[in-house]
């Protein structure tokens, strides 16, 4: 039961990170970017702390949030944001990889128990 909750938390994290990555990377209208990113940013600001028991995941989340902040700042100030946009993609992949690293053994154990 406890792992079901943990799996759900990690899946929700992946969903939040995916939405933020899409908003930051795809949106070009500054007003729309600001209006959609601000609530995401407020929520993501505390997510790393919620996953503090997984230090590498927390570190990846902080890196992702930082890259998003840099990208949004550059876009809203009409600066070149391409480098930061690439950073968002790289940091996004790190978060997903860490989630997979955490989930894979648990999901495999669960699958094996169901087969027995």
């Amino acid at each position: 039961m406890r792992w079901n909750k943990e799996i759900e938390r990690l899946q929700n994290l992946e969903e939040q990170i995916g939405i933020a990555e899409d908003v930051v990377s795809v949106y070009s209208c500054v007003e729309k970017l600001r209006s959609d990113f601000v609530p995401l940013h407020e929520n993501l600001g505390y997510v790393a702390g919620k996953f503090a028991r997984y230090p590498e995941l927390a570190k990846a989340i902080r890196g992702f949030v930082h890259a998003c902040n840099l990208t949004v700042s550059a876009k809203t100030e009409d600066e070149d944001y391409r480098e930061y946009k690439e950073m968002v993609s790289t940091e996004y992949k790190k978060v997903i990889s860490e989630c997979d690293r955490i989930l894979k053994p648990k999901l495999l154990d669960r699958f094996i128990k169901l087969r027995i």
Side-chain angles (χ1 to χ4, degrees):
M1 184 72 149
R2 187 178 126 187
W3 266 109
N4 288 340
K5 182 72 173 163
E6 198 67 5
I7 290 167
E8 186 177 318
R9 282 179 4 110
L10 288 163
Q11 289 172 334
N12 287 337
L13 170 65
E14 287 184 10
E15 185 177 294
Q16 287 179 300
I17 296 289
I19 292 168
E21 194 263 346
D22 189 56
V23 167
V24 170
S25 298
V26 176
Y27 285 26
S28 57
C29 175
V30 174
E31 290 78 25
K32 183 77 171 144
L33 178 63
R34 282 185 182 142
S35 69
D36 286 3
F37 182 70
V38 168
L40 290 170
H41 180 267
E42 288 173 357
N43 191 35
L44 289 173
Y46 300 104
V47 171
K50 292 178 181 179
F51 290 95
R53 70 181 305 182
Y54 307 111
E56 291 301 313
L57 177 58
K59 179 180 175 183
I61 293 167
R62 284 190 291 276
F64 175 77
V65 172
H66 179 68
C68 286
N69 290 340
L70 291 173
T71 305
V72 170
S73 177
K75 281 185 170 186
T76 57
E77 295 181 18
D78 203 26
E79 297 174 2
D80 186 7
Y81 60 86
R82 290 175 290 189
E83 176 185 347
Y84 301 132
K85 183 178 173 183
E86 185 62 36
M87 228 172 113
V88 168
S89 178
T90 300
E91 296 300 322
Y92 169 80
K93 290 173 187 171
K94 287 179 186 178
V95 173
I96 297 303
S97 293
E98 281 303 309
C99 287
D100 289 347
R101 186 185 63 75
I102 294 164
L103 285 173
K104 189 174 182 177
K106 304 307 176 199
L107 293 175
L108 185 58
D109 286 348
R110 190 172 168 197
F111 176 74
I112 290 170
K113 286 178 185 175
L114 290 174
R115 301 282 299 188
I116 296 177

